[in-house]
PDB file of all heavy atoms in Angstrom:
ATOM      1  N   ASP A  56      75.431  83.840 169.009  1.00 97.00           N
ATOM      2  CA  ASP A  56      74.082  84.070 168.489  1.00 97.00           C
ATOM      3  C   ASP A  56      73.417  82.632 168.455  1.00 97.00           C
ATOM      4  O   ASP A  56      72.760  82.312 167.440  1.00 97.00           O
ATOM      5  CB  ASP A  56      74.114  84.746 167.098  1.00 97.00           C
ATOM      6  CG  ASP A  56      72.759  85.112 166.676  1.00 97.00           C
ATOM      7  OD1 ASP A  56      71.786  85.134 167.384  1.00 97.00           O
ATOM      8  OD2 ASP A  56      72.612  85.334 165.363  1.00 97.00           O
ATOM      9  N   HIS A  99      77.745  84.468 156.970  1.00 98.00           N
ATOM     10  CA  HIS A  99      78.855  84.715 157.880  1.00 98.00           C
ATOM     11  C   HIS A  99      79.223  83.388 158.605  1.00 98.00           C
ATOM     12  O   HIS A  99      78.428  82.441 158.570  1.00 98.00           O
ATOM     13  CB  HIS A  99      78.390  85.728 158.923  1.00 98.00           C
ATOM     14  CG  HIS A  99      77.011  85.517 159.489  1.00 98.00           C
ATOM     15  ND1 HIS A  99      75.912  86.074 158.955  1.00 98.00           N
ATOM     16  CD2 HIS A  99      76.660  84.749 160.507  1.00 98.00           C
ATOM     17  CE1 HIS A  99      74.826  85.601 159.608  1.00 98.00           C
ATOM     18  NE2 HIS A  99      75.205  84.781 160.579  1.00 98.00           N
ATOM     19  N   ARG A 192      67.072  75.148 155.283  1.00 98.00           N
ATOM     20  CA  ARG A 192      66.533  76.539 155.494  1.00 98.00           C
ATOM     21  C   ARG A 192      67.785  77.433 155.476  1.00 98.00           C
ATOM     22  O   ARG A 192      68.785  77.141 156.213  1.00 98.00           O
ATOM     23  CB  ARG A 192      65.822  76.568 156.843  1.00 98.00           C
ATOM     24  CG  ARG A 192      65.294  77.934 157.257  1.00 98.00           C
ATOM     25  CD  ARG A 192      66.315  78.696 158.063  1.00 98.00           C
ATOM     26  NE  ARG A 192      65.809  79.960 158.597  1.00 98.00           N
ATOM     27  CZ  ARG A 192      66.565  80.892 159.175  1.00 98.00           C
ATOM     28  NH1 ARG A 192      67.851  80.701 159.285  1.00 98.00           N
ATOM     29  NH2 ARG A 192      66.041  81.957 159.638  1.00 98.00           N
ATOM     30  N   ASP A 194      69.880  80.742 155.890  1.00 98.00           N
ATOM     31  CA  ASP A 194      69.852  81.928 156.698  1.00 98.00           C
ATOM     32  C   ASP A 194      70.307  83.189 156.021  1.00 98.00           C
ATOM     33  O   ASP A 194      71.255  83.124 155.236  1.00 98.00           O
ATOM     34  CB  ASP A 194      70.767  81.651 157.981  1.00 98.00           C
ATOM     35  CG  ASP A 194      70.695  82.715 159.022  1.00 98.00           C
ATOM     36  OD1 ASP A 194      69.672  82.869 159.643  1.00 98.00           O
ATOM     37  OD2 ASP A 194      71.740  83.441 159.201  1.00 98.00           O
ATOM     38  N   HIS A 317      61.957  81.230 165.970  1.00 97.00           N
ATOM     39  CA  HIS A 317      62.847  81.600 167.034  1.00 97.00           C
ATOM     40  C   HIS A 317      63.217  83.029 167.063  1.00 97.00           C
ATOM     41  O   HIS A 317      63.996  83.471 167.918  1.00 97.00           O
ATOM     42  CB  HIS A 317      64.090  80.700 166.846  1.00 97.00           C
ATOM     43  CG  HIS A 317      64.884  81.006 165.606  1.00 97.00           C
ATOM     44  ND1 HIS A 317      64.377  80.684 164.373  1.00 97.00           N
ATOM     45  CD2 HIS A 317      66.003  81.583 165.430  1.00 97.00           C
ATOM     46  CE1 HIS A 317      65.231  81.084 163.487  1.00 97.00           C
ATOM     47  NE2 HIS A 317      66.247  81.692 164.029  1.00 97.00           N
ATOM     48  N   ASP A 318      62.776  83.805 166.010  1.00 95.00           N
ATOM     49  CA  ASP A 318      63.133  85.234 165.948  1.00 95.00           C
ATOM     50  C   ASP A 318      62.024  86.143 166.308  1.00 95.00           C
ATOM     51  O   ASP A 318      62.073  87.377 166.124  1.00 95.00           O
ATOM     52  CB  ASP A 318      63.633  85.666 164.520  1.00 95.00           C
ATOM     53  CG  ASP A 318      64.960  85.084 164.215  1.00 95.00           C
ATOM     54  OD1 ASP A 318      65.779  84.813 165.121  1.00 95.00           O
ATOM     55  OD2 ASP A 318      65.265  84.828 162.993  1.00 95.00           O
TER      56      ASP A 318
HETATM   57  C1  NOJ B   1      68.481  84.964 161.015  1.00 63.02           C
HETATM   58  C2  NOJ B   1      68.305  83.971 162.159  1.00 63.02           C
HETATM   59  O1  NOJ B   1      67.052  83.390 162.111  1.00 63.02           O
HETATM   60  C3  NOJ B   1      68.607  84.702 163.441  1.00 63.02           C
HETATM   61  O2  NOJ B   1      68.289  83.936 164.566  1.00 63.02           O
HETATM   62  C4  NOJ B   1      70.086  85.122 163.344  1.00 63.02           C
HETATM   63  O3  NOJ B   1      70.321  85.943 164.544  1.00 63.02           O
HETATM   64  C5  NOJ B   1      70.427  85.922 162.130  1.00 63.02           C
HETATM   65  N1  NOJ B   1      69.847  85.380 160.887  1.00 63.02           N
HETATM   66  C6  NOJ B   1      71.898  85.889 161.940  1.00 63.02           C
HETATM   67  O4  NOJ B   1      72.344  84.619 161.525  1.00 63.02           O
END
Side-chain angles (χ1 to χ4, degrees):
D56 187 18
H99 44 268
R192 178 269 187 190
D194 185 69
H317 64 293
D318 288 334

